[in-house]
Amino acid sequence: METKTYIAAVRKAADFVRLKAPGFTPQVAVILGSGLAQAVPPLEAAVTIPYGDIPGFPRTTVAGHMGKLVLGRLHGKSVAVMQGRFHYYEGHSMAEIALPLRMLQGLGLKTVFLTAAVGSVREEIKPGHFVALTDHINLMGSNPLRGFHEQEFGTMFPDLGNAYDADLRRQVLEICRQRGLAAHAGVYAAVCGPAYETPAEIRAFRSWGADVVGMSIVTESIPARQMGVKVAAVAWISNMCSGMKGASLNHAEVLELGAKVSGGLRLVLDDFIKIA
Ligand code: HPA
């Protein structure tokens, strides 16, 4: 897509949302990953917009990703929840995947809370645990900022030194501790997918310092940082990675365990939004 057409699409999507929710300025956005549709407490005065109605939005094609934008209030904050996300492996361009976030930033977004299912590369990080991301290794084979640049979205060469906000991470880990939820801090290796990794790939990623592996997050965190939006990212372990003891790689199981961890994540999000 040409830059001009793309920017027009971002603005058109924002205009549409402004019509549906006049005066709404999202302070915090939450992007819900696989199996987590129920992880956000109900919002007050909520407006729900199916992705399919928003001009320029891509379409979700993955089971377990619902595809709607919910705008409302929680603890006095304006919150935008994306129930369902877009993945590179679905065939969307990285610019298309970034469109909803760019639209939300155009409406005033300051902080995004990313969630995702991941596989664990470390024996001590087990299914059902949470991992607050400290950093990432982008192995997707591309960069979300490749191919076009427009100053209104930020610098072409953003600094990713504090990509995952250290203060927000400390707060998330403290919330998990208070709530009695098993949580770690860790590095996310981003792969393209959709096939799961081979055991040799997982051994390599471990030796490079990765703690968890997933197929999303960086397509959102990099454009967010380019725009100066703060990022908190919390992954939940759906499985041990390929070749590891107890590894079980099956999307249906991801969804099933997701329904179980949603309750814990909901508590974390509720507390996070209070202090965000
Ligand atoms: N690998 C990559 N992505 C994932 C995994 C995995 O094992 N589990 C959930 N998302």
Side-chain angles (χ1 to χ4, degrees):
M1 203 191 288
E2 250 192 75
T3 304
K4 261 192 349 213
T5 320
Y6 180 79
I7 293 167
V10 174
R11 293 204 176 122
K12 205 166 157 195
D15 287 345
F16 181 84
V17 171
R18 276 193 200 100
L19 270 180
K20 293 278 171 188
F24 187 84
T25 303
Q27 289 160 277
V28 184
V30 180
I31 302 186
L32 295 176
S34 296
L36 297 178
Q38 300 312 320
V40 178
L43 305 183
E44 298 146 28
V47 174
T48 300
I49 312 173
Y51 290 164
D53 290 358
I54 307 176
F57 254 52
R59 303 279 172 265
T60 40
T61 61
V62 192
H65 284 263
M66 308 223 301
K68 52 190 186 178
L69 177 66
V70 185
L71 308 170
R73 303 212 26 109
L74 187 63
H75 305 306
K77 307 267 163 58
S78 294
V79 181
V81 180
M82 286 183 61
Q83 290 195 338
R85 66 145 53 85
F86 305 104
H87 301 86
Y88 193 45
Y89 63 71
E90 292 176 86
H92 306 299
S93 71
M94 289 199 181
E96 284 171 321
I97 295 171
L99 189 143
L101 262 178
R102 290 189 170 127
M103 178 203 80
L104 290 169
Q105 192 266 341
L107 296 173
L109 182 68
K110 298 285 180 267
T111 303
V112 66
F113 190 107
L114 305 175
T115 67
V118 293
S120 170
V121 172
R122 307 276 168 199
E123 295 297 345
E124 67 279 14
I125 306 182
K126 301 199 185 308
H129 289 188
F130 292 104
V131 176
L133 303 191
T134 55
D135 207 341
H136 73 229
I137 303 171
N138 180 8
L139 301 166
M140 281 195 160
S142 188
N143 188 285
L145 309 185
R146 176 178 177 271
F148 88 99
H149 178 245
E150 174 53 43
Q151 198 57 42
E152 91 174 60
F153 301 131
T155 171
M156 187 168 196
F157 304 104
D159 178 351
L160 297 181
N162 186 30
Y164 302 91
D165 191 89
D167 291 334
L168 297 181
R169 177 171 59 254
R170 272 191 286 275
Q171 287 165 359
V172 166
L173 288 170
E174 177 56 21
I175 291 169
C176 290
R177 200 189 57 76
Q178 285 173 8
R179 292 287 189 179
L181 300 165
H184 312 258
V187 173
Y188 180 94
V191 294
C192 174
Y196 290 112
E197 303 69 42
T198 63
E201 287 169 334
I202 294 303
R203 286 195 298 276
F205 300 169
R206 186 182 302 119
S207 77
W208 297 342
D211 299 301
V212 296
V213 185
M215 304 174 189
S216 58
I217 297 281
V218 301
T219 49
E220 295 152 0
S221 59
I222 294 174
R225 291 310 300 143
Q226 185 189 37
M227 297 184 292
V229 171
K230 283 190 193 175
V231 178
V234 176
W236 65 276
I237 309 298
S238 59
N239 56 277
M240 300 309 286
C241 275
S242 181
M244 295 178 69
K245 207 167 111 224
S248 160
L249 304 167
N250 171 326
H251 188 65
E253 283 179 20
V254 172
L255 299 185
E256 201 183 303
L257 186 58
K260 289 189 195 141
V261 301
S262 282
L265 192 60
R266 193 173 158 144
L267 297 173
V268 175
L269 275 167
D270 197 58
D271 290 350
F272 180 83
I273 288 166
K274 267 183 218 158
I275 57 173

